[in-house]
Amino acid sequence: MKFSVRMKITLMVVVFATFIVAASWIVCNFVIEKVFLNNLKANLITTYNSCNKLFNDSSSDYIELDDLYGKIKNPAGSIVLIIDVDNNKIYFTSINDNGRMMESLNRIIRSVIEKDEDIFFEDSDYVIQRNHDDTINSDYYDLVGKLDNGFSIIIRSPISEVESFTRTIKRVFNYVAATLIIFCAVFVLFISNIFSTPIKKLSHSARRMANLDFDTKIDVDTKDEIGELGESMNELSSKLEDTISKLKTANIELERDIEEKRKIDDMRRDFLSHVSHELKTPIALIQGYAEGLKDNLFDDKENMEFYSDVIIDEAQKMNQLVQKLITLNEIEFGKFNINIERFDLVELINGVLNSTRILINEEYVNIVFEEQSPVWVWADEFLIEDAFTNYLTNAIHYVSEGGAIKIYFEKNDNKLRLNVYNQGNRIDNEDIDKLFIKFYKTDKSRSREYGGSGIGLSIVAAIMQAHGKEYGVYNVEDGVVFYFDLDTNMPC
């Protein structure tokens, strides 16, 4: 959820005001009442101490019934009753109804004995407790105890005024708090709008500048930090427009140079990689047959001529391969015209199998290819031979020990799919979509064993893309199948 600066300022002030009001409410509801009650307790104790001092310092004989008023400290204006049980005397401040007072006095004394009321404070000489007077339906705090001279004392102070006062304070405070919060919200919304309006203008202009629209200008009239920021952004807009214009011109030229250099570097790198990969197999064949001739494995002329023919044939293929690799780079950049011709795919496959017979025998691989009749297709014969050779070489090196490689066709209307199946481990799903990327290897350690460079399948991809035909790989239950499609009729 997005909050504007105006809303954030308002929320912060309202939350702060609410916190202050909540703290004040807690003080009002839980502290003020206790303060009043503690003050009431202190007043009762002050009156008790004053009475105790009066009757200790003077002889009670000359104190008349109405002489307590004005002779003691009575801050709360409480009703004071002092009883001399031995002489059957009562001292008091003011009593309107003597009989009712005595009845209430008896109830207070009983409650103290039974302790059936709430004791607010307790001392060795007196207790302060809350009592309810049923005759007048009112609550009091009564101090009941004995003076040092043995007289009983009761000091009564009504709490209705205290509770009424605290209720009034709470009610007034609630109204004031609610009004204060509402006023703060409205006031802050108004004040924050003064600050947020120029900020909105700055934000709107900044978004337009981010979209390279430098025609916008910020109109901020304030003479403060926001105004200075607006002027700085206007100046920045003008400078950015001029700088970006120059950069675009330079960038176009730089991109053109970089792209040209990248193409040259890619062609050089791919050429070297392809040559190093593709020449390893024919060089191995030439070396093997040459060593056989050197060791005089065969004394008859016919075998010697066969070995010599293989060496010459492989050398010619190496020469052709170098030339075709140059052409392959041109194919990838769309600068090569493919020579589409009609040829027998079965004959091409048998030729590749015969030329790699030594490698097949060394790996003890069982090759299965059952097609005998000619199968005519339209494509560039040399490139298709190169693509099939890569599939076959890849299968030979990855087939399981004692496993089989099967080459078979699938015909569909005017298309033919050549499949090369090798029995062995399946390819991980995370690798299967990356096999035709240049230099990608699923098993680098094994690739080093047989000299793979990781570009053989990328050559297949380039050839088939140049032909505009489908190619790929998929897992089967006990191995992997590589395929590519060819036309059986003359393509339009």
Side-chain angles (χ1 to χ4, degrees):
M1 184 178 294
K2 183 178 179 181
F3 289 99
S4 64
V5 174
R6 181 188 183 192
M7 185 58 67
K8 287 181 179 178
I9 294 174
T10 303
L11 286 177
M12 286 190 292
V13 174
V14 170
V15 169
F16 180 73
T18 303
F19 172 77
I20 297 299
V21 170
S24 301
W25 182 85
I26 293 173
V27 172
C28 180
N29 282 271
F30 299 99
V31 177
I32 291 179
E33 186 173 357
K34 289 184 178 180
V35 170
F36 276 106
L37 292 178
N38 287 330
N39 185 60
L40 178 62
K41 180 188 75 172
N43 291 336
L44 291 174
I45 294 174
T46 297
T47 303
Y48 170 83
N49 291 333
S50 179
C51 292
N52 202 17
K53 185 175 182 300
L54 175 65
F55 281 88
N56 281 337
D57 293 344
S58 304
S59 174
S60 61
D61 295 336
Y62 71 89
I63 300 177
E64 302 297 335
L65 292 179
D66 57 352
D67 281 347
L68 284 182
Y69 187 80
K71 297 181 181 298
I72 61 173
K73 294 180 180 179
N74 191 7
S78 305
I79 298 174
V80 180
L81 298 174
I82 298 175
I83 306 169
D84 180 3
V85 178
D86 294 335
N87 297 317
N88 196 22
K89 285 187 177 183
I90 298 177
Y91 306 90
F92 55 88
T93 53
S94 61
I95 299 176
N96 294 328
D97 189 335
N98 204 19
R100 182 175 294 179
M101 183 273 297
M102 293 304 297
E103 182 181 349
S104 178
L105 175 62
N106 291 329
R107 282 198 302 273
I108 293 171
I109 294 172
R110 285 197 303 271
S111 67
V112 172
I113 296 172
E114 297 171 1
K115 293 189 177 180
D116 58 351
E117 298 290 345
D118 296 330
I119 295 178
F120 178 59
F121 182 78
E122 187 171 5
D123 189 74
S124 59
D125 296 324
Y126 57 85
V127 295
I128 300 175
Q129 63 184 25
R130 180 169 179 157
N131 294 301
H132 180 76
D133 193 338
D134 294 330
T135 58
I136 57 176
N137 193 24
S138 182
D139 291 325
Y140 298 89
Y141 271 101
D142 295 322
L143 185 150
V144 181
K146 289 183 177 296
L147 299 177
D148 293 342
N149 62 1
F151 291 0
S152 297
I153 183 171
I154 299 175
I155 305 174
R156 165 163 287 190
S157 181
I159 62 174
S160 58
E161 295 180 359
V162 174
E163 292 180 341
S164 176
F165 181 70
T166 54
R167 282 195 299 270
T168 302
I169 290 179
K170 292 178 183 178
R171 190 181 305 112
V172 172
F173 178 81
N174 291 334
Y175 291 143
V176 172
T179 304
L180 179 61
I181 293 175
I182 295 173
F183 174 77
C184 283
V186 175
F187 179 75
V188 173
L189 280 173
F190 174 76
I191 295 299
S192 61
N193 188 61
I194 298 175
F195 295 97
S196 63
T197 299
I199 294 176
K200 288 180 181 178
K201 292 181 180 179
L202 291 173
S203 177
H204 176 71
S205 299
R207 283 196 297 268
R208 293 182 61 181
M209 290 172 60
N211 294 324
L212 304 183
D213 180 7
F214 300 108
D215 293 331
T216 179
K217 298 298 178 184
I218 302 171
D219 183 19
V220 179
D221 299 329
T222 57
K223 303 298 180 181
D224 53 14
E225 289 82 357
I226 296 177
E228 292 178 359
L229 178 60
E231 293 178 359
S232 299
M233 290 184 66
N234 287 334
E235 184 178 356
L236 176 64
S237 176
S238 300
K239 291 183 178 180
L240 280 176
E241 183 177 10
D242 181 61
T243 303
I244 290 177
S245 178
K246 294 178 181 179
L247 284 175
K248 283 184 177 179
T249 303
N251 189 55
I252 292 173
E253 297 178 0
L254 181 61
E255 285 181 353
R256 188 184 300 114
D257 295 340
I258 292 175
E259 182 64 21
E260 189 67 25
K261 185 179 182 301
R262 186 189 64 80
K263 289 182 179 180
I264 295 173
D265 290 343
D266 287 347
M267 289 179 64
R268 183 184 298 112
R269 183 172 56 253
D270 290 347
F271 171 76
L272 294 175
S273 298
H274 286 220
V275 168
S276 64
H277 175 75
E278 296 300 326
L279 291 184
K280 286 182 179 179
T281 299
I283 288 174
L285 292 174
I286 292 173
Q287 182 180 0
Y289 280 100
E291 289 175 353
L293 290 173
K294 182 179 179 180
D295 294 339
N296 296 319
L297 295 179
F298 299 99
D299 295 332
D300 59 293
K301 183 179 180 181
E302 182 179 354
N303 283 324
M304 293 179 64
E305 288 181 353
F306 173 76
Y307 270 53
S308 298
D309 290 340
V310 170
I311 293 173
I312 294 172
D313 183 59
E314 292 300 324
Q316 290 176 345
K317 285 184 178 180
M318 283 172 28
N319 182 55
Q320 293 176 357
L321 181 60
V322 172
Q323 298 300 322
K324 288 297 183 178
L325 282 174
I326 297 175
T327 304
L328 187 57
N329 282 274
E330 295 177 351
I331 291 174
E332 291 181 331
F333 290 100
K335 299 179 180 179
F336 180 80
N337 293 325
I338 299 176
N339 182 27
I340 301 296
E341 56 185 340
R342 186 171 179 264
F343 62 92
D344 182 7
L345 184 61
V346 174
E347 182 181 353
L348 182 148
I349 292 173
N350 285 326
V352 173
L353 292 176
N354 288 330
S355 65
T356 57
R357 183 62 59 186
I358 292 179
L359 183 61
I360 294 172
N361 292 336
E362 287 179 352
E363 299 291 339
Y364 301 101
V365 178
N366 180 26
I367 302 291
V368 178
F369 180 56
E370 299 176 349
E371 293 286 342
Q372 300 295 329
S373 301
V375 176
W376 299 94
V377 295
W378 290 87
D380 188 306
E381 183 176 1
F382 179 81
L383 294 180
I384 296 304
E385 180 181 356
D386 196 14
F388 172 71
T389 302
N390 276 291
Y391 272 177
L392 179 62
T393 304
N394 187 74
I396 290 173
H397 289 295
Y398 281 98
V399 69
S400 59
E401 185 176 355
I405 295 176
K406 182 177 181 181
I407 304 166
Y408 61 97
F409 301 149
E410 290 179 329
K411 299 178 181 179
N412 183 16
D413 296 333
N414 297 327
K415 296 187 182 300
L416 177 141
R417 174 163 291 185
L418 186 151
N419 299 282
V420 179
Y421 157 80
N422 68 283
Q423 187 176 17
N425 295 328
R426 304 175 71 185
I427 301 172
D428 293 338
N429 292 331
E430 62 182 19
D431 294 325
I432 202 164
D433 294 331
K434 303 176 182 177
L435 288 181
F436 292 91
I437 299 175
K438 291 180 183 179
F439 312 111
Y440 186 80
K441 303 175 185 179
T442 58
D443 188 346
K444 295 180 175 58
S445 61
R446 189 173 177 187
S447 295
R448 288 194 293 269
E449 290 177 4
Y450 71 85
S453 63
I455 63 171
L457 294 179
S458 68
I459 295 176
V460 177
I463 292 172
M464 300 319 300
Q465 288 172 4
H467 282 79
K469 299 302 176 184
E470 293 185 6
Y471 63 94
V473 59
Y474 59 88
N475 289 313
V476 292
E477 183 177 354
D478 58 348
V480 181
V481 176
F482 288 84
Y483 67 89
F484 59 76
D485 294 343
L486 295 171
D487 288 324
T488 56
N489 289 338
M490 178 64 183
C492 298

